């Protein structure tokens, strides 16, 4: 299925797009390589190496915590240091609508760019035209309409986000993922006329809505983020239908960060195996200090002092 104004992909990889420049099918294929993995936010090269050793499929770079000020893209020097330190893919964040930050990140060779609402917003009316870039983009969404609009703009990964305040509460992520999945289930039972009306209701491109109905899922990889701090949290998002999870940098703030990161990575890969989940969840209680609800430093993912 194709549209006149943009590229539409089929999840299996048989995409219809402009193959001459920045082919969307290639970017979606690169995104699918991350399926079934956990992406960890890191602020140093040492954290990135630990995450790689513990089984992360990718890391996303964020600046160390700041007391105040505008949250912008990470220092390119930090991104370069982390790229040299690890062999797994490296993501970095740009502000929503800030296509020049994205140009800078592409120029230094990041593997994925996250147009992140966790940072300050540079353009309140326009998202980046992601078809102009060779690098695959990650974009946040809370609803099916959000997700499909970001796909139309060229997003290759949809990050269904939860709480943006850094409370460490996974409830909002669960609510939004259930909402998206519930809308897709409703869509599956609609006839053509209902699909057309539904696409107008959620303000999403009709062809992408129809494609979602045909596939029974989003046309691109779907990850979850927000409040995911335990192996059980990660497995919960996977069992709800996500392809992977983003995890904030507070998992490194404990006496044995390797054990926590390893536990979450293993839980994502074995989310349907209760015996593995028992093992990954055991012995973490002493490592969870500081991750109780209400503490200010919980999973500040991306807002200049945390990740997605």
């Amino acid at each position: 299925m194709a549209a006149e104004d943009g590229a539409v992909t089929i999840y299996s990889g048989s995409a219809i797009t402009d193959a001459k420049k920045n082919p969307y099918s290639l970017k979606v294929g690169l995104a699918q390589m991350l399926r079934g993995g956990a992406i960890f936010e890191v602020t140093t090269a040492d954290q990135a190496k630990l995450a790689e050793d513990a089984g992360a499929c990718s890391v996303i770079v964020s600046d160390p915590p700041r007391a105040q000020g505008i949250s912008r893209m990470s220092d390119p020097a930090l991104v370069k240091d982390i790229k040299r330190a690890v062999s797994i893919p490296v993501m970095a964040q740009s502000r929503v609508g800030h296509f020049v930050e994205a140009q800078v990140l592409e120029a230094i060779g990041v593997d994925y760019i996250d147009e992140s609402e966790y940072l300050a917003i540079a353009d309140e009316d326009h998202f980046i035209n992601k078809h102009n870039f060779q690098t695959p983009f990650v974009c946040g969404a809370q609803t099916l309409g959000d997700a499909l609009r970001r796909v139309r703009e060229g997003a290759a990964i949809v990050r269904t986000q939860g709480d943006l305040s850094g409370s460490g509460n996974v409830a909002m992520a669960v609510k939004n993922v259930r909402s998206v999945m519930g809308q897709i289930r409703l869509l599956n039972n609609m006839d053509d006329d209902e699909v057309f009306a539904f696409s107008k209701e959620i303000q999403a491109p009709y062809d992408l809505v129809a494609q979602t109905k045909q596939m029974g899922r989003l046309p691109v990889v779907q990850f979850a983020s927000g409040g995911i701090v335990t192996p059980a949290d990660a497995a919960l998002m996977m069992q709800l239908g996500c392809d992977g999870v983003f995890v904030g940098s507070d998992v490194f703030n404990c006496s044995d960060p390797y054990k926590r990161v390893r536990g979450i990575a293993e839980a994502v890969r074995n989310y349907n195996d209760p015996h593995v989940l028992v093992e990954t969840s055991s012995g973490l209680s002493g490592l969870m200090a500081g991750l109780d609800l209400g503490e200010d430093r919980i999973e500040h993912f991306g807002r200049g002092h945390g990740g997605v």
Side-chain angles (χ1 to χ4, degrees):
M1 184 182 310
E4 294 179 356
D5 60 337
V8 182
T9 186
I10 301 299
Y11 192 76
S12 65
S14 55
I16 301 174
T17 184
D18 180 3
K20 293 178 290 185
K21 181 181 179 183
N22 307 332
Y24 188 51
S25 56
L26 175 60
K27 290 183 276 190
V28 170
L30 290 171
Q32 290 186 28
M33 294 172 60
L34 301 178
R35 292 181 69 194
I39 300 169
F40 290 85
E41 181 219 10
V42 298
T43 59
T44 67
D46 287 341
Q47 289 181 354
K49 287 186 283 189
L50 185 150
E52 179 179 32
D53 292 342
C57 71
S58 176
V59 293
I60 183 165
V61 182
S62 180
D63 282 340
R66 282 198 298 251
Q68 57 185 359
I70 297 295
S71 300
R72 302 180 176 88
M73 72 172 182
S74 296
D75 186 333
L78 173 62
V79 178
K80 289 179 180 179
D81 286 344
I82 289 175
K83 277 186 61 63
R84 285 191 291 264
V86 298
S87 58
I88 56 176
V90 174
M91 297 184 180
Q93 297 166 314
S94 73
R95 283 176 279 175
V96 169
H98 205 313
F99 55 85
V100 175
E101 285 188 346
Q103 290 169 2
V104 171
L105 294 175
E106 182 167 80
I108 61 178
V110 298
D111 297 288
Y112 304 87
I113 298 171
D114 183 355
E115 186 179 10
S116 177
E117 70 285 356
Y118 288 84
L119 303 180
I121 294 176
D123 190 330
E124 295 183 353
D125 299 317
H126 303 93
F127 283 79
I128 296 170
N129 181 357
K130 291 159 276 289
H131 293 292
N132 289 337
F133 293 82
Q134 295 181 352
T135 307
F137 270 75
V138 183
C139 282
Q142 292 187 323
T143 67
L144 180 60
D146 285 343
L148 295 181
R149 288 191 292 274
R150 301 294 82 80
V151 172
R152 165 60 74 234
E153 295 160 0
I157 302 174
V158 166
R159 173 174 36 74
T160 304
Q161 84 261 354
D163 183 29
L164 293 173
S165 69
S167 70
N169 189 350
V170 77
M172 183 62 71
V174 171
K175 177 183 177 182
N176 291 338
V177 169
R178 282 195 179 277
S179 174
V180 171
M181 299 303 183
Q183 286 182 303
I184 293 174
R185 285 192 294 272
L186 288 174
L187 181 61
N188 288 340
N189 295 318
M190 294 181 184
D191 62 29
D192 291 342
D193 290 339
E194 290 172 323
V195 172
F196 186 76
F198 182 68
S199 69
K200 291 196 295 183
E201 177 186 337
I202 66 173
Q203 299 179 337
Y206 169 75
D207 58 329
L208 288 181
V209 175
Q211 184 180 345
T212 301
K213 168 181 165 63
Q214 178 186 15
M215 295 167 59
R217 58 156 295 137
L218 287 179
V220 300
V221 175
Q222 179 183 8
F223 276 59
S225 70
I228 299 168
V229 295
T230 70
D233 290 340
L236 172 63
M237 306 316 298
M238 298 298 290
Q239 290 194 28
L240 289 175
C242 292
D243 296 307
V245 299
F246 283 86
V247 183
S249 63
D250 276 342
V251 294
F252 296 99
N253 298 332
C254 66
S255 59
D256 189 355
Y258 178 86
K259 183 173 183 178
R260 281 179 58 191
V261 172
R262 179 75 175 175
I264 292 172
E266 286 294 313
V268 169
R269 285 194 287 265
N270 300 278
Y271 63 91
N272 271 328
D273 188 334
H275 299 292
V276 173
L277 297 179
V278 168
E279 292 299 318
T280 59
S281 300
S282 297
L284 294 182
S285 58
L287 304 179
M288 300 302 291
L291 290 176
D292 296 325
L293 296 182
E295 295 208 11
D296 291 338
R297 69 184 189 83
I298 298 171
E299 204 193 19
H300 298 295
F301 198 97
R303 296 169 299 138
H305 45 233
V308 178

